[in-house]
Amino acid sequence: MTRGRRIAVWLLLAGVLAGCRKEAPKPKPKRAGLVVLERGQAPRQRLRYRFQRGVTLYYRLVTEQRRTHVADAGIRRVVGLSYYVDRVKGPRAQVRWRVEPLPGVKRKRHRGETVWLQLHESGRVEATRVPGASVDRASALKPLLRGLASRWPGTDVGVGARWRDRRKVRMPLRAGARRSALTTEVETLYRFDRRGPCGRSQCAFIGLRITLWTEHKHRQATFFGTGKGKGEITFDLTRGQLVSIRTRSDFKLKAELHKGQPLEAIRLVQELTPQRNPGRSK
């Protein structure tokens, strides 16, 4: 798989954790932002992240990638992540995602790498900072970890509610090459499927339908990517915290050269689940 294709696949993982859109022709531009389609049944409530300084949560992120049109064993990666809340001011907070060690996982790549987000309680990422990381690593980490912040409506919603979030993600392809970037359009349709117990809390179980379309021109080639995905978010309503995200996506990438090039079909599976404290301090 060429560098351009690998980058497109990585960005798909980053987009909120799965996605994709109908193939050619190119879709008409649509205004980015969040729109509430249905408010759902009563009782309704506001979905919001709750920030408390010093809170640290640990997760296990598993990603699987394989080509579906050929015999391919695929690639499976497992990493640990920590989520730490630092400064809190009104409805927003400075939060840190960091790659952590996992018991039984020897992989050390990216360990200790950090992304700081200014996160609004609605899930809107207002700023991103990657301290001490190269441009290439920042390009990979920022969209991936930004995508872990689900977007919540600005109104009370109940079971059956639906809302849609559209956004564009721009990702540099190499250090110092500002003109070389991959722009991806992502549309996520959320549906509040049910409310129920999870441990000692009440949780919202929210279904995802995600579409994605991307186009990138690099030298003599133009890369087109399309796909579709689905998944589920579990959100702790009592604590205002993310519990888990599971997504599965089928992504197709085509490189058009002078004579054309065959379609690349890729399946991506991503799962973020809670993990016990590995014993490392913040």
Side-chain angles (χ1 to χ4, degrees), residues 12-270:
L12 179 62
L13 288 171
V16 194
L17 297 163
C20 314
R21 174 173 272 153
K22 260 185 173 181
E23 291 190 46
K26 178 178 177 179
K28 296 180 180 180
K30 296 178 181 179
R31 188 172 64 178
L34 188 146
V35 178
V36 177
L37 305 175
E38 295 181 46
R39 292 186 59 202
Q41 306 170 4
R44 301 186 181 100
Q45 65 185 101
R46 195 70 58 94
L47 300 180
R48 285 294 183 262
Y49 289 95
R50 296 182 182 178
F51 303 122
Q52 183 177 348
R53 186 172 185 177
V55 168
T56 305
L57 305 174
Y58 295 92
Y59 297 93
R60 177 187 180 94
L61 177 64
V62 180
T63 59
E64 297 180 5
Q65 168 193 324
R66 68 180 180 87
R67 290 178 291 175
T68 58
H69 66 299
V70 295
D72 183 9
I75 300 172
R76 186 175 188 268
R77 294 188 176 94
V78 182
V79 298
L81 292 173
S82 65
Y83 168 93
Y84 170 70
V85 179
D86 190 14
R87 290 173 293 173
V88 180
K89 186 176 181 180
R92 53 184 54 83
Q94 300 291 323
V95 301
R96 182 203 66 201
W97 283 102
R98 184 170 66 187
V99 180
E100 302 283 1
L102 275 177
V105 178
K106 297 181 179 180
R107 183 180 178 87
K108 297 182 179 180
R109 187 181 179 185
H110 301 303
R111 183 176 294 181
E113 291 184 14
T114 300
V115 173
W116 284 93
L117 305 178
Q118 180 170 298
L119 184 64
H120 190 270
E121 62 181 11
S122 66
R124 183 176 68 250
V125 177
E126 299 178 331
T128 313
R129 180 170 60 92
V130 184
S134 68
V135 175
D136 284 340
R137 288 184 175 182
S139 298
L141 284 172
K142 285 170 65 176
L144 174 65
L145 297 178
R146 284 175 67 99
L148 296 178
S150 301
R151 292 294 308 275
W152 307 132
T155 186
D156 292 356
V157 294
V159 173
R162 297 189 306 129
W163 60 97
R164 181 182 61 220
D165 180 43
R166 293 188 181 124
R167 68 182 73 181
K168 289 186 178 182
V169 180
R170 185 174 174 84
M171 176 180 163
L173 298 186
R174 61 179 185 272
R178 295 183 180 179
R179 294 183 180 180
S180 181
L182 194 68
T183 300
T184 304
E185 298 180 26
V186 181
E187 178 180 289
T188 307
L189 179 63
Y190 297 82
R191 179 182 171 86
F192 193 155
D193 288 332
R194 60 190 177 92
R195 182 190 289 112
C198 55
R200 298 180 180 179
S201 299
Q202 281 288 311
C203 283
F205 299 89
I206 299 169
L208 300 175
R209 294 282 179 176
I210 313 170
T211 60
L212 176 147
W213 182 91
T214 186
E215 177 181 350
H216 172 67
K217 294 182 179 180
H218 181 67
R219 296 180 181 176
Q220 297 180 337
T222 300
F223 297 96
F224 297 94
T226 63
K228 294 183 179 180
K230 61 181 180 179
E232 183 181 68
I233 295 172
T234 303
F235 185 73
D236 190 324
L237 296 169
T238 306
R239 296 182 173 88
Q241 297 172 353
L242 175 67
V243 177
S244 65
I245 302 176
R246 294 176 173 86
T247 61
R248 174 174 171 169
S249 305
D250 289 306
F251 182 71
K252 294 181 179 180
L253 184 69
K254 184 177 182 180
E256 290 192 354
L257 303 172
H258 292 304
K259 296 182 179 180
Q261 197 166 325
L263 200 66
E264 185 82 78
I266 301 164
R267 174 159 294 170
L268 301 170
V269 178
Q270 185 164 317

